[in-house]
Amino acid sequence: NAGVTQTPKFRVLKTGQSMTLLCAQDMNHEYMYWYRQDPGMGLRLIHYSVGEGTTAKGEVPDGYNVSRLKKQNFLLGLESAAPSQTSVYFCASSYPRAGGPTEQYFGPGTRLTVT
Amino acid sequence: RKEVEQDPGPFNVPEGATVAFNCTYSNSASQSFFWYRQDCRKEPKLLMSVYSSGNEDGRFTAQLNRASQYISLLIRDSKLSDSATYLCVSSIGSGNTGKLIFGQGTTLQVKP
């Protein structure tokens, strides 16, 4: 099993350009998440999904859109990139459990620079 | 107040030392707790789940104190390879979204 994979690993964008980050998981997990990590800020949740066809906003959703058309894929879109979106983006997945949330499994990250 | 608070460190310790990290969480309804390890420029990886009774995995021991709302991680006989950032994690209440809150991390540097 590959676990959680992310594409691309690195990207440089100019202000105003758009792009889509792809996350794929082969663990049949229901839940998927997109985070950004900035120095001194820790991991912040951008958007998440509790199942195919559903998405919800996290802590810092502005400037991003997501889609979960297939259970195994979770896409993060930047419609008009801004320098403030320079960050490392991590995707994660997990599964539901009656006793409370389970651990999340992370992809290797995408390092995005917006100039 | 942050939902999960950790001392960012860095903690600089010699090889073989014992080091302990604490973290506090603000939501008394949180049900799940974890410690993750993150190496520089890599993804976070699960180190341990934290159970009410405490749990041990080799040189690592995690404990939960629900009354005081803190979680601890003890590392015995530190190795150079333990140098990393350790993230304290709690669930967001008892909801069914699977969402977790990550602390900013505590940096550990183990010196020869």
Side-chain angles (χ1 to χ4, degrees):
Chain A
N1 287 352
V4 181
T5 58
Q6 292 182 232
T7 310
K9 289 186 168 51
F10 303 93
R11 186 73 186 265
V12 178
L13 286 180
K14 292 191 166 133
T15 298
Q17 287 185 319
S18 63
M19 77 164 294
T20 300
L21 282 68
L22 171 63
C23 175
Q25 52 95 3
D26 61 2
M27 297 175 283
N28 201 34
H29 284 171
E30 286 293 330
Y31 300 159
M32 295 187 75
Y33 313 86
W34 275 108
Y35 294 90
R36 61 178 289 173
Q37 188 174 38
D38 304 291
M41 300 295 289
L43 283 161
R44 292 184 291 170
L45 184 65
I46 303 171
H47 286 281
Y48 64 100
S49 167
V50 298
E52 181 178 316
T54 73
T55 63
K57 293 180 180 179
E59 182 186 353
V60 288
D62 294 343
Y64 306 94
N65 56 74
V66 287
S67 64
R68 183 109 181 261
L69 298 179
K70 293 183 179 180
K71 185 177 183 179
Q72 63 267 34
N73 295 337
F74 195 27
L75 279 63
L76 177 72
L78 285 73
E79 289 185 347
S80 180
S84 60
Q85 294 178 304
T86 294
S87 188
V88 180
Y89 292 86
F90 289 106
C91 176
S93 70
S94 70
Y95 54 93
R97 182 183 66 181
T102 62
E103 67 271 21
Q104 293 178 7
Y105 297 81
F106 283 81
T110 294
R111 281 157 184 79
L112 175 66
T113 301
V114 183
T115 61
Chain B
R1 181 186 173 189
K2 293 177 185 172
E3 292 189 64
V4 175
E5 290 202 67
Q6 299 180 247
D7 180 348
F11 285 63
N12 295 300
V13 302
E15 268 187 294
T18 295
V19 61
F21 306 138
N22 289 329
C23 115
T24 58
Y25 62 95
S26 61
N27 191 333
S28 60
S30 296
Q31 290 187 320
S32 303
F33 305 91
F34 309 94
W35 282 101
Y36 276 73
R37 170 190 170 130
Q38 186 173 26
D39 293 289
C40 187
R41 302 177 70 80
K42 297 282 186 69
E43 73 271 27
K45 292 187 177 177
L46 179 69
L47 178 67
M48 301 180 76
S49 299
V50 186
Y51 306 121
S52 296
S53 57
N55 49 308
E56 187 173 316
D57 183 3
R59 298 181 293 107
F60 299 85
T61 300
Q63 292 204 310
L64 168 64
N65 184 318
R66 285 193 183 273
S68 301
Q69 293 183 210
Y70 80 78
I71 309 152
S72 65
L73 177 68
L74 182 77
I75 305 175
R76 289 179 297 277
D77 189 22
S78 299
K79 312 290 185 194
L80 295 176
S81 57
D82 294 334
S83 297
T85 297
Y86 292 84
L87 307 177
C88 175
V89 187
S90 80
S91 62
I92 297 180
S94 56
N96 62 354
T97 61
K99 290 196 294 182
L100 301 176
I101 289 285
F102 289 77
Q104 290 189 20
T106 297
T107 299
L108 172 66
Q109 292 276 1
V110 182
K111 308 284 189 186

